[in-house]
Structure formats: C-alpha cells, structure tokens
Amino acid sequence: MKEKLDGIKLAALALIENAVSTAELNDVRVKYLGKSGEISLVMRDMANVPKEERPAMGKLVNELRSVVENALNEKNAILAIKEEEQKFKEEEIDVTLSATGKRLGNLHPLTLIRRELIDIFLSMGFSVDEGPEIESDLYNFQLLNIPKDHPSRDMQDTFYINDNILLRTQTSAMQARIMTNQQPPIRVVVPGKVYRSDDDASHSPIFNQFEGLAIDRHITMGDLQGCLQTFAQKIFSSDTKVRLRPSYFPFTEPSVEVDVTCAMCHGKGCRVCKGTGWVEILGAGIVNPAVLEMCGIDSNEYSGFAFGFGIDRIAMIKYGIPNIKMLYENDVRFLKQFN
C-alpha cells in the first residue's frame, strides 16, 4: 500500500508541476481529490487493510492528501496571477476611441426557467416557499429518513460546517420544515440553491433545485403522474410524454425516476437523448409514511407525493446547453441569446 501511495504522490506532483493553466490544474484536482479520484478510492479501500495497520495507513493517506492539496494551491496561485496578467494584456482598450451604444440586458436563462416553473405550479394550485441554504442535519437528513451511514452524508458529497450544520444538499430539507410547522392540506413548491461536492460537465458544486410537495387525504401515484404530465407539457411542448421507472429514495415509498420524451427530437432519437427518445429529468414518489410520522402527520389519515429536479438540468434540456458551467461563466455572447 505504501508503494502505491508513493506512486500516486509522484504522479500527482509531476502533473501539478507541468500544468500550464488553472483549467488543467483543476482536472488534476478532480483526478486525485475528486469523489472518484485516486486518493478517494484509496480511502475506500481502507476496509481491506488489516485492522492493526489502518491507523498508520490512514495517517499516510491523509498526509498524501495534504501534500497534493498544498501543491495544487501553490501552483494555482502562480497560474492565476499569470492568467490575470495575460487577460489584462488581451483586454487592453484604447480609452480615446468613441463610445459605443449601450445594449439593454436580459434575464439569465436560469431566471427565465425558474419564473416559468413557478407560474406553471401556481396555476396548479401550489404555493411558493423558500428556506435557508445553511441547514441542520435534522432537516437535511434525519427527518427525511436518511440514516447516519447513508453515502450522501459522506464528507466527499456534503459541505459540512460542523457535525450538525451543513450547506443543504437538497431542497427536500424544506419538506421536513414545512411538514413540522404546517398541517395538511399542503401544496407547495420550493426553488433554491443547493450544494454538493461534485464538479464536471454535467455537475456543479452549486446548482438550483425545484422541490414539490403535496399532502392531503387520498393522494395517489396517479395524482403525481398527472401533475408531472401537466408540468412537462407546459415547460417543453404539448406532445411531451412522461414515463415513470421504479427507483429508491429514503424519503419516498414507492419511488420513481421520471423520464420525458426528448425536447430536441420529440422521442425519435438524437444525440441529446443518446438515441433512446427519452431524457431523465427528476426523481419523485409517494411520501414515505415514516417521514410523515416523524414530522407529526398521521400517515393513516394523510398521504402525499414529492418530487425534485434541477432547474439547471431543465434549462440545459430545453435550450440544448451542452455544459452546465456555461450557466455560471457570465459569457455575454452566451447570455444575450436569451434576449
């Protein structure tokens, strides 16, 4: 194991030393420190190390992580200064030139989608609520039937402030807050920012979710499907179809993954849907009776459904955006297309 750690250290430091841009350096960071990075994988393999050797090996792995992080931070500081200097040179302007006319701005695509979603669900009788982005373990995990050993509680997935306070990983935390402070009937949607330790072309450490919750007497899976069918046809097109696939979430039972016919090809098959004609957009299900009881609602009298999806993902599907980072780079050439 020690030889393996030494090999990882040498390879990582060599890549850091040879990196010529902060983007290239970020790729190295993901390769070694990401959720599926080489050092993270070594940590997961600790279960295979003899019990008496684990403390020593754990210390070596932590030292390796510290060395790589420090090297990345030092090199990033150097490259950031160089890139800033280069940017100043490239963007140098002649202030004596005549001024150009001002172009009126327009709403950001995420704002457009968020407003459209709110209007859709308001038309179906839902209210709108918001909640804190700095959340407690109680609302983010415990009251949603997510146990201590669930993967989403891992430091590699969640930004912890301390053992009990964290940056919320899902707007589902508002389900618990609303149900513990309000008696049925409940029909509410919750848009807002959430945070997860993830970073690639389709994931961002910060993104926007949209949560829906309905609690009342005699609510069934049919009500959920009808609600989502209406939503999909209004946000995409009138010929959009919805498909439910069995899945698992701790706070719903039964749970489903929800697909819609591709907005680009209308179900015929294209590169966006990888030829299947379908695109997965959200997770949903019937609220777990255990969650209702923990929040003080009688599960023998009431039932409900819940759903959640990424506003960013809806925008990417509707507008054909290939990389989630385009939504956050503030490139005017991209943003002005939504005027």
Side-chain angles (χ1 to χ4, degrees), residues 16-18 38 40 46-47 82 87 98-99 101 103-104 141-142 158 197 199 201 203 227 249 262 285-286 325 331 336:
I16 293 170
E17 179 64 28
N18 295 326
E38 294 193 22
S40 300
M46 288 293 289
K82 290 182 178 179
K87 184 178 180 181
S98 301
R103 187 185 69 84
L104 292 177
F141 291 128
Q142 294 178 38
T158 301
S197 185
D199 186 18
H203 298 85
C227 176
F249 302 108
C262 179
I286 298 299
K325 292 180 175 58
D331 188 328
K336 70 182 181 181

Side-chain angles (χ1 to χ4, degrees), residues 162-182:
N162 59 39
D163 290 342
N164 187 52
I165 304 298
L166 47 90
L167 298 183
R168 67 179 179 187
T169 61
Q170 53 195 357
T171 46
S172 302
M174 278 301 292
Q175 286 187 33
R177 282 187 173 273
I178 291 168
M179 287 190 288
T180 53
N181 291 283
Q182 181 179 338

Side-chain angles (χ1 to χ4, degrees), residues 20 83 216 304:
V20 296
E83 290 180 358
D216 207 339

Side-chain angles (χ1 to χ4, degrees), residues 195-314:
Y195 306 82
R196 296 183 189 176
S197 185
D198 213 348
D199 186 18
D200 56 41
S202 58
H203 298 85
S204 171
I206 174 174
F207 58 100
N208 299 272
Q209 268 194 346
F210 197 91
E211 191 80 16
L213 175 68
I215 306 290
D216 207 339
R217 293 181 174 88
H218 313 303
I219 285 184
T220 67
M221 186 68 78
D223 298 311
L224 170 62
Q225 185 170 13
C227 176
L228 295 179
Q229 181 74 57
T230 301
F231 144 70
Q233 290 180 343
K234 288 190 174 184
I235 197 70
F236 296 120
S237 64
S238 59
D239 63 347
T240 301
K241 297 178 181 178
V242 167
R243 169 175 86 175
L244 307 184
R245 292 181 288 107
S247 186
Y248 167 76
F249 302 108
F251 37 87
T252 53
E253 179 59 39
S255 304
V256 292
E257 298 281 0
V258 181
D259 304 329
V260 296
T261 45
C262 179
M264 296 294 107
C265 66
H266 301 279
K268 296 178 182 177
C270 66
R271 65 173 183 82
V272 175
C273 61
K274 299 179 181 177
T276 65
W278 296 90
V279 178
E280 179 186 325
I281 61 167
L282 61 90
I286 298 299
V287 178
N288 193 318
V291 172
L292 292 176
E293 294 293 342
M294 284 189 288
C295 293
I297 296 176
D298 187 351
S299 62
N300 293 315
E301 184 176 0
Y302 294 101
S303 60
F305 64 73
F307 59 85
F309 54 82
I311 296 177
D312 314 59
R313 179 158 178 76
I314 298 298

Side-chain angles (χ1 to χ4, degrees), residues 98-117:
S98 301
T100 56
K102 293 183 179 179
R103 187 185 69 84
L104 292 177
N106 54 272
L107 292 176
H108 192 280
L110 288 179
T111 303
L112 292 172
I113 291 292
R114 176 182 168 129
R115 290 188 176 184
E116 188 173 357
L117 289 169

